[in-house]
Each structure stands twice: as C-alpha cells, then as structure tokens.
Amino acid sequence: MRSDGRVNNELRPIKITPHYIKHAEGSVLIEVGDTKVICTATIEERVPPFMKGQGKGWVTAEYSMLPRSTQVRNQRESAKGKLGGRTMEIQRLIGRALRAVVDLEALGERSVTLDCDVIQADGGTRTSAITGAFVAMVFALNKLANDKHMAKFPVTDFLASVSVGVIADTARLDLHYHEDSQAKVDMNVVMTGEGQFVEVQGTGEEAPFSRKELDELLALAETGIQQMIEEQRKVLGPISERIRGAHHAVKG
Amino acid sequence: MRSDGRVNNELRPIKITPHYIKHAEGSVLIEVGDTKVICTATIEERVPPFMKGQGKGWVTAEYSMLPRSTQVRNQRESAKGKLGGRTMEIQRLIGRALRAVVDLEALGERSVTLDCDVIQADGGTRTSAITGAFVAMVFALNKLANDKHMAKFPVTDFLASVSVGVIADTARLDLHYHEDSQAKVDMNVVMTGEGQFVEVQGTGEEAPFSRKELDELLALAETGIQQMIEEQRKVLGPISERIRGAHHAVKG
Amino acid sequence: MRSDGRVNNELRPIKITPHYIKHAEGSVLIEVGDTKVICTATIEERVPPFMKGQGKGWVTAEYSMLPRSTQVRNQRESAKGKLGGRTMEIQRLIGRALRAVVDLEALGERSVTLDCDVIQADGGTRTSAITGAFVAMVFALNKLANDKHMAKFPVTDFLASVSVGVIADTARLDLHYHEDSQAKVDMNVVMTGEGQFVEVQGTGEEAPFSRKELDELLALAETGIQQMIEEQRKVLGPISERIRGAHHAVKG
Amino acid sequence: MRSDGRVNNELRPIKITPHYIKHAEGSVLIEVGDTKVICTATIEERVPPFMKGQGKGWVTAEYSMLPRSTQVRNQRESAKGKLGGRTMEIQRLIGRALRAVVDLEALGERSVTLDCDVIQADGGTRTSAITGAFVAMVFALNKLANDKHMAKFPVTDFLASVSVGVIADTARLDLHYHEDSQAKVDMNVVMTGEGQFVEVQGTGEEAPFSRKELDELLALAETGIQQMIEEQRKVLGPISERIRGAHHAVKG
Amino acid sequence: MRSDGRVNNELRPIKITPHYIKHAEGSVLIEVGDTKVICTATIEERVPPFMKGQGKGWVTAEYSMLPRSTQVRNQRESAKGKLGGRTMEIQRLIGRALRAVVDLEALGERSVTLDCDVIQADGGTRTSAITGAFVAMVFALNKLANDKHMAKFPVTDFLASVSVGVIADTARLDLHYHEDSQAKVDMNVVMTGEGQFVEVQGTGEEAPFSRKELDELLALAETGIQQMIEEQRKVLGPISERIRGAHHAVKG
Amino acid sequence: MRSDGRVNNELRPIKITPHYIKHAEGSVLIEVGDTKVICTATIEERVPPFMKGQGKGWVTAEYSMLPRSTQVRNQRESAKGKLGGRTMEIQRLIGRALRAVVDLEALGERSVTLDCDVIQADGGTRTSAITGAFVAMVFALNKLANDKHMAKFPVTDFLASVSVGVIADTARLDLHYHEDSQAKVDMNVVMTGEGQFVEVQGTGEEAPFSRKELDELLALAETGIQQMIEEQRKVLGPISERIRGAHHAVKG
C-alpha cells in the first residue's frame, strides 16, 4: 500500500473550481491531492510574428511555481533574470499538448495563452497543469465562440494528463512528491478523450527500463486519464457537447 | 456614493484565510474586496552578506502579479528577464514597512522572506500585501519562537496599510481599481497598532495637492488601518498577546 | 548645532551653473553643499509607444551615480547588467514630479528626457536632481517654445525638492550624508512655486513617527523648497515670466 | 521509397571520427548522413555545488548549433543573451541519458562535461549528439581510468539514440530534416546495449497517435540503435571490453 | 629556432577547405597550423536599421570559440548570457577589415554576415578568421553575382591577416599559442592584395616597444600576408579574376 | 587650415583640473578642447580572482559616456542591460595601456580601478581618458605610497595618448569630432615619457593606407604626446620626481 493509502492504480482526489479568477476569459483552480494550480486562458486578437497572415491561430503556455509552493523556498525566475530549463521544458510541453486538440484554422488569427501557476506543489504539477489548462481554454473558447458566432468550435477532443512511475518494481498511477523522488522510472502521458496518445515522455532516472515496464505504465496512464476526463466533463457541463460536435465534424 | 455602494470612509470587505499554503512557515490568503494576495513567510537560518556577523536578523519581501491577475494580461517579469521599476518599488516598501515592527536583534541571525503574489488585482495590491504579509510573518515567527524557545517575541507592534485618494475633490478610503485610475491624489499609508506612521507616500498624479487635502487623507487612512488591525487580531487569536507583550517590553 | 555648523532650518549653499553641457537642449550643474549633479534635458520629436496618437507629450527621467561619486566605489549598473531598485525608484520619482508642472497637451507629441548624473554625492541626491532637472527642462522648453513659436508655454509652475529628517529627536532641513545615515525618520518632499505638494515620501527607517513629527517636517520642507525656488528664479531670469504666464493661464 | 532512397527501416550512413579535437580529453566528429556534430568530453576534478561531499561524480551536457548549420541562419544564443527552450531541453536530455550508463560512485568526485556542437544540421541532431557524446565520454574516461588506475571502469553499458516517426501513415527510422518537418508523429528513443529504454519521447505534432503506431516506432528504434552501437564498438575497439567488464560487474 | 622548428619569418602550414558547410552561401574550413576555424558567409536581402534606404549594403562578422577549442574548457558565452570584451573586439575587427575591400554600393541593400567559429585554437585565431572569412565571402558574393547578374563585382581587392610579435628580442611571424603567451609585443596586421594596410594593432603587453621593433614587425607581417593571399588565390581559382577586375575598375 | 583654426600638427588646448572629486583617492577633470572626461582612481586592497596569491597588483579601467555627452542622446548601457562592443574595447585599451607603466610587483596585492566618464564628447575621448587617468592614478598611488611607506614607487614612466588621422590626404594631429567622422584613416597612439610605443591602433575606415601615411601619422602622434606629458608634469609638480626615480631604478 502507498504512503497516502491509495492502491497502485488509484488517482488522488481531483477538484476543479471553475471561473476562479474574474478577469480571465477562462480560468480554473485545479487540485490533484495537495497539488494546486491556477490555470487561466487569455484570448488575444493577434498571433506571434511567425504565424502572421496564415489565417490560423496559436496556442501557447507559460508555467511558473510560486516561491513557496515547494517545501524549500525556490528563488523566483524573475529575480534570477531568466527561465530555467525545467520551466521551459514544461511550458513547451503544455502548449504542444493543447495544440493537438485545437483546430487552429477554426480558431482564426487569434492566440490563446494558458498561464499555469502552481501555488502548492506535491508532485504531478505539469500533468495537473495540462488537465486544468484544458478546461480553462474550453471556457475561454466557448465564450469566444458565443461572442463571435464562430461556425466551428475549435476544440476537437478532450485532453488530460497524468504521471506514472515504477517504485520498488511496482508500477503506480499519479505519483505524489515523495513517490516521484523515489521513482526508478518516471513517465508523463497526455491522451485524448478518444484514447490516442499526444505525448509519451518516459525517463529511466535511476536505471533503464524494460519493454514490459513501459507497457504496464502506459496501461495505468490510460486508466487515470479517462477518469480525469470524466471530471473535466462534469465541470464543463453542456459545453462538453460542443467538443463532441467538433470531434465528429473532424473524425467523421 | 461610490460605484460599489460604499461611503467615503468605508473599507471593502476584508477576509484573511490563515495557513493557506501548507509548505510555508506562515501563510495567508488576504482578500480586500476583489483584490486577492497570497502571502507566505519563509524563515531561513542565514542572513544576506551585508548583515553577517552582527547578531541580527533581516526581513525582506518579494512581490509579483500573476499575468492574468489584471484585466489585460501583463507579461511575466521572468519572461522579460528583469523586474520592473514598480515591482522593485513595491517590494522595497513591503520589506521596509515590516522591518519597522520587528526587533532584529531578538530575531537573531535569521531571515524572514515575505512572498506576496497577487492572484487577482482590483486596486490596493501593495497595501493588502503589507496587511497580509504581517499576519503570515507573525504565524511564522510564532512557530519559530515555539520551536526555538525564544526569550523575546520579535514582533513589537501590529502593522497594516491602506490606500486613500482624492477623487473629484473628495477624499476616499481604500480605492478600488476604477477609483485608483481616476484619482487626482493617491496616497499609501502604513501605520502601527499604536497609531504611529511607518510610511506616508503621497503623489499628486494629476495635480498638486494642498495641506488640507493631505490632512483629510491621513485621517481617513488612520481609521481604515485600525479596522484592518482588528481583522488581524481576530485571525491571530491568542498569538496577538505575544505582540502586546513584546510591545510593552520595548515601549514600557 | 549640526556637524557642518548649520542650524536646523538652514539649507546648504546652493549653486546652479546653467548651460553646463554644450550638446544638450538644456543643462545645469547643481551643487547643494558637496552634492553635485549634472542635469541635462533632451527634447525628442516622438513619444513612447503607450502615448502615441494622443496629441500629448511625455516627460521622463533617468538617474545614475558615477562609481566614485560615493565614499566607497559602487559598481556600475551597466556592468551589473541591470538597474537596481533604488535607481528605478528615484528615476520614477523624478519623472513623476516634473510631469506635475508640465502641460502635456501644450507640449505636443514630444518627449523630454531628464538625465540626472550624480558626480559627487553627499546626501540629498534625488532632491537635488529634481531641483536641477526642473531648471534644465525649463531652458530646453524655452528654446523649443522659441524655435516652434508655441502658443502656450508648457511649464505651469516652479518645482523644487528637499529632504528633511529627524535626528536625535530634532527635525532638520536638508540632510547631508552623515545626517541621513543617522536619521530615525527620513522624508523627501516635492512642492510647487504655489506651495502645493507634489510628492510626500516619509519613512520611519529606525522607528515609527508621530503626527506631530510629520507636521514639523512638512513645515521645514516648505521653508527650504521656497528658498530653492528663489535660486531657480535667479538662474532662469526673464524666462521665469513665461512660467508665471502659463501658471495664470491655467489657474486663472 | 524515401527521398534519399532508403527503405523505412534503414539508417543513414554513420561515420565517427575519433580524437577530432586535440585539446579535449575525449572527442569525436559524428556524421549521420549530412548531420555533423563535434562532441568533446572534458573531465574536471570538481563537481557542481549540489553534488559536493557525496563522493560521487556528475555528467552534464551542453548543446549548440553553429549559426549556419541550418538552411536559414539562426541567431547565436550568446548574442540573444539567453538559451532558448529547445536548447535547454536538448542539453538536459543528453546529460540525463548519459548519466544512466555511468556509475557515478565509480567516477568519484569529478565531472564530465559533454559539449555537442552541431556544425551541419539535417535532422536527428539531438540523437546523433547522444550517440557521439557517448563515444567521446568513453575515450575520456578510458584515459582517466588509465591515468588514475581506477579500480572500476565507470561506464556500465553502451548507449545510443535514434529518431523515428510516422510520415504519411508509415513508420520510418532515422528521419532527415525534410522528413522530420513532415512527420505526424516524432519520437526520440535512447537505449542501452542490453536493449533497455533510457528515454522515450514521443509527440503527436500534427495529430494524436495510436498504441499500434507507438509499438511500430519502438520496434524500429530498437533496430536502429543496435546498429549504432555496432559502430560505437568499432571505433572504441578494445576499450569496448572495459564497458563489458563494468556491465557484468553491475548486472552479474 | 622556434619550438615547432620554423625560422622567424616562416608561416605555419595553411590549408583552406572550400564549401565545408553545405547550407551556407559560402564557407571554408581554414587551418593555420593547429588553429582551425569554420568560416561561413550568409547573404541576406536586408540591411541593419542604421543602413536602410541608402542603397548600400553592409558586412558584419561574429566570432566564437567552441568550449573545448582551448586547452582548458572555456564557458560558453550563451550560458554566461553575454559576449565578453575579447569576442566583441574581435568581431568588430573582422567586420571592419572585410568592409575595407567591399564596394558597399555595388553590393546593394544586402548584408553579408561572416560567422567565424574556432573549433581548435593554437594562436592567431582572429587573423586566421579574417583570412578564411575573406574566402567564404568571395564564394558567397560570386554566387550572388551570378544569380543576380550584378554589373560590378563588389570585392575590390584581396585581404588577409597575420600576427607578428617580439619574443626574447626577436621579431617572429605567425605566433602559435605558446609563443603568443610569451610575446613582449604582439601585433595583428591586416593588408590588401595591393600591399596597403587596413588594420595595424600593436600592443606592448609586457613592455613598451621602439620604432625599430615596429618597423621589423610590419615588414614580417607584409611577407606573411602576401603568402596567405597566394593560398586564397589558389582556392578561389578563376573567381580571383573577378576581384582583379573590380580592383582595376576602382583603382584605374 | 582646420575648421577650428589649428594647423595640422597642433593640439587643442588641454586643461587638467586635479582633485576634482572629493571621495576618490585620485581624480582629475581633463578637458581637451570641448572633450571633457572625469577620471577617478580607486585603490582597493584586493585583486581579481585570477591574480590572487601572486604578490602582484592589477590595474583596470571602466569607461562610459553620459547620455547627453554626445550631440544626439545615446541610450544608457545600464538601461540596455549590457555594455556595447565599443565600450568594452575602450576600457580594455585604457587598462592595458596604464598597466604598461605600472610595476605590478611594487604595487603589491592591490587593485587600481580607473573610472573614465565622458561628460562632454568632441572627439578623442579614449585618448583623453588615458591621458587623464594616468594623472588620477599617479595622485592615488602617491597617496598610497605615502600612507604605506612603500619602498618603490610603482609608476615607472609617464604615459599619454592622442589620436591622429588622414583627412583629405593630409595627416592631422588630435582630431575633433567633425574631423574624426571625415577621416579616411584613424589612429590612436599611446606612448611613454621615454618615447616608446605602448599601443598603435590604426584603421583604414574608408580606404586602406600606405606605409608612408603610417609613418607620417606616427611622427605627428609622437609630437602631440610629448606636449601632453608636459601638461601632466605641470599638474603633478614634485610628484613627477617619483616617476623619474622609479624609471631610473628600472631602466638603469
């Protein structure tokens, strides 16, 4: 049994509080166990220079941890004067993952910026950020679609993410911080509502891993992600239908 | 009457949620109307280089706004690679204000870092940060005093802050964002529980101001700050007695 | 008696050398005791991006200290690669203060940049910079008004600044460096020729201060600032009349 | 058939020139098709601060592209003043991958820095860098083991890397630049001589991918990596025996 | 006799490999003894802002050393976040030197960027970079002249560079690293095919030098540079005629 | 005749005001025509890391221009966040030049920092900075030698610098800004009191130059530098004898 009493294929409790920040076009506070992330979605009527004039939109993300979201205070990157490698890696991952379920042509020449700010960290901050940012983005695009009478809803499928890992030769779902620091293998998986992979990132931190271990981890991840998508559906309520509609339009 | 229904000498509703972030030695979420700031206090057993070997401690602060705490998204200072002038000015103010009620010798060679992160902004973020950071700091120092059996409690008085301003020739207490942007004169005041001034910063944004206006603003600020200190006392409960004790030891 | 023989309400000797730098549209060397600041005013036929298209001008300031203006050599901010918090705070103050007496509409879409470079520091560098920058700005705008046949002179009042403080329970005017480092309370005040406040910045460095101390300091500051404005009038000579005219046009 | 005439499971020609840079403790020029990377290994008798006093060593990597290694000139990161996210992601990957086959205790308190400089880019620069850096590192550690009479050789297995991807519904091995820019799915795999995974990074750039596609890609990668390891063995010659010895000592 | 067996007025062996990098418009690998520099020339159809609208082109250079081009690893300037003074000085020198033989009007509103990357350093890296960059630039401009049917070839003369120095009271040509570090006087000279000076930079590193020493060094440099230009002619082959033609058109 | 009425081998008027800044160990204001530079010398009882433990001292320089020292305002390097190439080149030159006449062993493990701040620029700022910094340094070292009862005076010769150039086929001494911008060839020369060269930096800005032109320029420079050294002697008065003594001790 795990230190917090869960069995190996069990997620931590998830809570998604919608409309958490009043100024943002879409926002949530996502809590996965003791990990808490504020996700906001900002829509702007412009795209980055490299996308101009293509009639398509762009989705990008930024990620940060408050200094005292962690057990030991971490120095602000604004004070250091630059972003660390871990931050860059994570915000590139979040943006890339979300773009996989956005129809950039349907979005038009607009950008969606997802700000994921970890206010309390206990493992799985990047996967929680993806799961939460998806909901914030859908709220914002739903509002946009209403305001602009968009013909096609630009989100084509659900998307969520979870971490899995091997601790003491056992594959486990949704590692908390203490487990994460002991894991021999650590994997982050992003999947769609339809059960396809968007990202698979597995690392043998301590030792290489076998094909058999890889297969076990992927199966666990799939289970966890589908439960997370259920939570997203509940929070989104009737807006979920718009995603289903867009999905059918694309996939037939 | 004001746009949110308040009279001129009325504060917005204040809510201070204690122990908001589990990892920090002390923390609160302070809400003043729609302005929300997470304040955490971190105690470290070292002081900055310029304070070494003096047997005294140090108190410092950092301040930041989440990108979407504001109506229009503001770019992260970590992405810009440097802190802006406004941020530096505010964090210097918060640190300086709090040091005024800390007995640095009683603290010993330790540092307290106050992180004030605005998650939603609607005017008065710096004054709310000071009021909230004071409570987070007292929680952290109370824990330290218990753990280390400190002889003297290092906080010698209460401390809170409020903004006041002149809008359309009328002095008003605790400006929200819309009022702040219209104010002819804008003043931030920090005071102690005993009613002494720690900081007075008044600016004629649009036009110079008279001595009479200055006097009205100072009187309003005093009223508001004493109400804020009442809220701090409620949240701190019996720990308030330690401050009273330290105050008497110093002031006799 | 004070260490330099002055009484409490006495300014240090002031000397303002006009046209000190030949390339600038306006310039002075201001000496207040041993504090020496070169102030230049540059007029440019453009405004910062956030002011474009409003038909209004802008006034901004930069402040720096030569490395050996101080007793111990201070490292250049250009070598550090960033501006410190103190520098940012001071240059924001100088710009804000001067804008209070400039009619930005009369100025038109132009910017005035005031460069204040401390070549020797002995306390009161920011207040001396404001007092000197005002004169440099008026010289530059007088030249502009002549060259462009401007209908309205854009400077609506005189403006000067002084520091005051409490040392050993006594309020003193115009602190030199040694006094400044001992002051319990430190206040910088900016006022107009008409005797209105533009900035009041008081800080209880060592201890909080009472309303009575605040009142004494404000009275001392007013005395000192009016003497400084007399010096400005002498240096500006007949150009002073243009300010008087603009003042009457605005205030009636 | 592919644009360069290869079949789907065929690698590009590989050439590893040993001892390419005379000053480095170990170095190679690796050419994989038209991709050319200079890899040097530097041994230093010190470890980064976070590793001090643990009796263990560290392996780290840096990656850069010459401005004209690419079709369109890319600006130097030294001129931009900061490392981009892609660079950080890649150099973290290279370091992490190589550490998986180094016995940090056997290395002792020393660091190995692998500099991977792409002089010509045609797809697969990060995977070629890993494959080349492994050889440079083994040369350097072989020299170190000889000079210091180390009891245990610190490299416990071979390590190489290759990219695979799905282009037009077909899985292909070792993408060149043109294929890479068309790939619907892109995956980088790092494996050991024993056939275990060290890193699996798969991304659905254009669209999500199925479990079946993932399985095909992993199988292709395994084939390619074992061929690359054959090339490494040839270049290392008798030094290969030392790795085999260390492997048996660890795995039994 | 010198440590590598050369006599005082003898160059090290020179080898210029043309078309070393496939993507660049012009490129060489230049080897002068053990010093190896990759030089690429990039042509872009735009000029820097300060040159816009003048109907003229621009030539600029960047210089860098790979971390392990030197005996002891040197930290990357991209990791430091800024270019060092030596790098800036060298890249300014290379650009300035090459502009002296380019007819910027004949070039038209285009820019040539010369990237000089030292992959192995053994003294004379800046002079080798100039000699190599000249050849890369001529290749690129020859291609441009062909593609655009330019009326005038924009390179008006050959250009090469060498270092000379005084070691133990003897003037020597083309110092290698060990000699360079012992030199009392160090001089870099850039000359044209016609034998005119473009740059003379002499420094008394250890002690001042006399007019007689200066004269000896200039004579040695001239000898060396004319030999280097012979090598350039061989590599450029028939393109050399275009330079001769342009030279006659300018000089008559 | 030249635009300011001088003949070709005539210097502009020179004025060196000693002890210009009260806090520095040595300081001057040097005026060469309309070029004005404040030079201060700071002595510190420590050396840079690369010099530690060698029993020798170090001399270094920093150079900056006030924003409005020039005809058009130049942006501060502190605001840009980095030093430009020209600044780095100049401050490296000043430091190197001055070290040529300092006996670093006699100086002991101390550093001299020369800050050269151009307050008004009209050509020749770097050469004026060298000439002025020499005097500031001698004042500071004279004070040090007195305070510490140093056995040997560490300055072994006089040192000054001047610019020369070719304008319209005529060699001219000490170019002012307008001449400098027209010069076909521009050369900065640094020489000792004994008439030896320390630096010769000649650049064919517009066109290459001949040996004959080089010889004429060097002769002009020598004339000018010896006159500058005469001015230095007058300002230094009896301290000049200490330099003569140190010179004889070294040169015999």
Side-chain angles (χ1 to χ4, degrees), chain D residues 196-212:
Chain D
Q196 301 260 75
F197 294 103
V198 166
E199 286 275 340
V200 175
Q201 295 199 342
T203 300
E205 295 267 345
E206 295 292 306
F209 55 98
S210 68
R211 180 58 196 265
K212 185 169 157 292

Side-chain angles (χ1 to χ4, degrees), chain C residues 112-235:
Chain C
V112 185
T113 303
L114 297 151
D115 285 293
C116 302
D117 287 89
V118 179
I119 63 173
Q120 192 170 277
D122 190 32
T125 63
R126 80 185 71 183
T127 52
S128 303
I130 290 170
T131 304
F134 175 80
V135 180
M137 180 179 78
V138 172
F139 278 130
L141 290 175
N142 182 56
K143 187 171 175 301
L144 180 75
N146 290 344
D147 293 354
K148 303 283 178 183
H149 308 291
M150 293 172 81
K152 291 170 68 179
F153 191 64
V155 183
T156 60
D157 204 348
F158 280 82
L159 183 95
S161 178
V162 79
S163 79
V164 284
V166 176
I167 290 122
D169 292 321
T170 312
R172 287 186 184 165
L173 176 63
D174 187 23
L175 309 186
H176 59 61
Y177 177 74
H178 185 62
E179 289 176 326
D180 193 41
S181 59
Q182 292 177 310
K184 178 195 124 179
V185 183
D186 179 31
M187 184 173 290
N188 295 301
V189 180
V190 185
M191 293 183 86
T192 62
E194 205 188 17
Q196 301 260 73
F197 294 102
V198 167
E199 286 274 341
V200 174
Q201 295 198 342
T203 298
E205 296 267 346
E206 296 291 308
F209 55 97
S210 67
R211 180 59 196 264
K212 182 167 161 293
E213 286 170 319
L214 177 60
D215 289 345
E216 283 173 24
L217 292 171
L218 291 172
L220 269 185
E222 187 166 1
T223 313
I225 287 171
Q226 294 312 324
Q227 290 176 55
M228 288 198 152
I229 289 176
E230 275 315 297
E231 288 303 311
Q232 293 178 329
R233 267 185 225 279
K234 283 184 207 156
V235 176

Side-chain angles (χ1 to χ4, degrees), chain D residues 28 84 116 120 124 134 136 154 162 194 232:
Chain D
V28 304
C116 302
Q120 192 171 278
F134 175 81
V162 78
E194 204 189 19
Q232 291 178 332

Side-chain angles (χ1 to χ4, degrees), chain E residues 213-232:
Chain E
E213 286 170 319
L214 177 61
D215 289 345
E216 281 173 23
L217 291 171
L218 291 172
L220 269 185
E222 186 166 3
T223 312
I225 286 171
Q226 294 311 323
Q227 289 175 56
M228 287 199 152
I229 288 176
E230 274 318 294
E231 288 304 310
Q232 292 178 331

